[in-house]
Every structure is written in C-alpha cells, then in structure tokens.
C-alpha cells in the first residue's frame, strides 16, 4: 500500500512539472494557454447551465410529486411475481437520468438492506452496469451543439435496459 500512496501523492505534481518542462522546451506560453483554457471552460459551463438546471428540476418534480412511488405501487404485483424486488425500480428509472441521484438511492438501499443483501448487491451491480444516458446526452451533446440525438438516445436507453436486465439475471443467478 505504501507504493500506491506514494505514486498517487506524486502523480499530479510530476504531471504538472512535465507539462511545464515540455512547454518551456517547445517555447509555448503555458500560463497564457492555461488562462485561455480556463476562459473556455467558464464559457462552456455557462452554456451548459440551462441544460443542467432543466434536468435537476425534472428529477426533483419526479421525486417530489409522488409519481415515482405511485408507478412502483402499480407495477409491484407484477414485479414480485417474476422475482424482481420493487425496491430496485426507482434506481432503474433514475439511473439513466442522474448519477448523483442514483448513487444516493444506492447508498440508501445499502444502508436499509445491507451490502450483502440481494437488494444491496443488485443495486451495486445495476449502478455499475448502466450509465447516465440522459445526462451524457444533455451535457456532452449540448456542449458541442448537437441537436439531433434521436438515435443516440434510443441506443443509450436500450443499453441501459440491457444493463438493468443483465444485472437482475446475474445477481439472481449468483446470489438469489
């Protein structure tokens, strides 16, 4: 463990030193380039702000309105009949939208059910096998100005669905 700690402590300072040495050697104005990159980063952050605020508001409305809980209660009998715990559905629905909200849900499930429970293992596996598709499309496509994202949205959500189904099947086979 001592070697890993030493490497992680020195990795960033060494990287910065290498960048400064190479920029000096190639006669590139490193500080001016850094400042220019910072300006571009701030401009990009402001251009992404409306997309992020819209997504945060949509997630808040979904969770606060009770619509998510009503939907889960509606499909609970079917889920229980096929062996899927209804507690996992909020994570499956929120994960493509927000990684932070999904991580909070996973933490809450692990705290409630335990890390070695079926739900704890399923939530952890689902967290690792799906992605924040809508967040990615909003931020990255919005950053470069792509407006037509129909196919990327369909493929991303299909990949999330496959990840969710695969998580349920694998965790059921290994730990069920």
């Amino acid at each position: 463990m001592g070697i890993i700690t030493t490497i992680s402590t020195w990795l960033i300072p060494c990287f910065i030193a290498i960048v400064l040495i190479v920029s000096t050697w190639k006669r590139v104005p490193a500080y001016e380039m850094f400042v220019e990159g910072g300006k571009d980063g701030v401009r990009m952050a402001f251009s992404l702000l409306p997309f992020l605020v819209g997504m945060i508001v949509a997630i808040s409305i979904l969770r606060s309105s009770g619509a998510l809980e009503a939907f889960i209660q509606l499909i609970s009998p079917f889920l229980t009949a096929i062996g899927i715990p209804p507690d996992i559905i909020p994570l499956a629905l929120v994960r493509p939208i927000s990684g932070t909200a999904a991580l909070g849900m996973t933490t809450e499930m692990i705290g409630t059910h335990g890390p070695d429970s079926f739900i704890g293992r399923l939530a952890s596996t689902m967290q690792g096998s799906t992605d924040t598709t809508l967040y990615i499309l909003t931020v990255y496509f919005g950053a470069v100005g792509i407006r037509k994202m129909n196919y990327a949205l369909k493929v991303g959500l299909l990949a999330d669905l496959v990840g969710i189904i695969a998580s349920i099947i694998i965790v059921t086979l290994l730990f069920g």
Side-chain angles (χ1 to χ4, degrees), residues 91 95 98-107 121-132 167:
L91 176 63
R95 179 67 177 143
S98 169
T100 305
L103 184 59
M105 288 179 166
T106 301
T107 303
R121 289 176 173 157
L122 181 56
S124 298
T125 305
M126 195 176 291
Q127 184 78 8
S129 63
T130 57
D131 208 345
T132 54
S167 297

Side-chain angles (χ1 to χ4, degrees), residues 111-169:
T112 302
H113 300 283
D116 292 331
S117 67
F118 181 79
I119 291 177
R121 289 176 173 157
L122 181 56
S124 298
T125 305
M126 195 176 291
Q127 184 78 8
S129 63
T130 57
D131 208 345
T132 54
T133 301
L134 297 175
Y135 176 82
I136 289 169
L137 292 177
T138 300
V139 172
Y140 297 123
F141 281 37
V144 294
I146 297 173
R147 298 286 176 230
K148 295 180 181 179
M149 55 180 87
N150 295 341
Y151 295 115
L153 177 63
K154 291 173 189 174
V155 170
L157 291 177
L158 179 63
D160 287 333
L161 179 63
V162 169
I164 290 165
I165 293 169
S167 297
I168 293 168
I169 292 170

Side-chain angles (χ1 to χ4, degrees), residues 17-32:
I18 290 169
V19 167
L20 292 174
I21 291 168
V22 170
S23 65
T24 302
W25 180 58
K26 292 194 172 202
R27 299 182 195 274
V28 173
Y31 183 73
E32 289 80 7

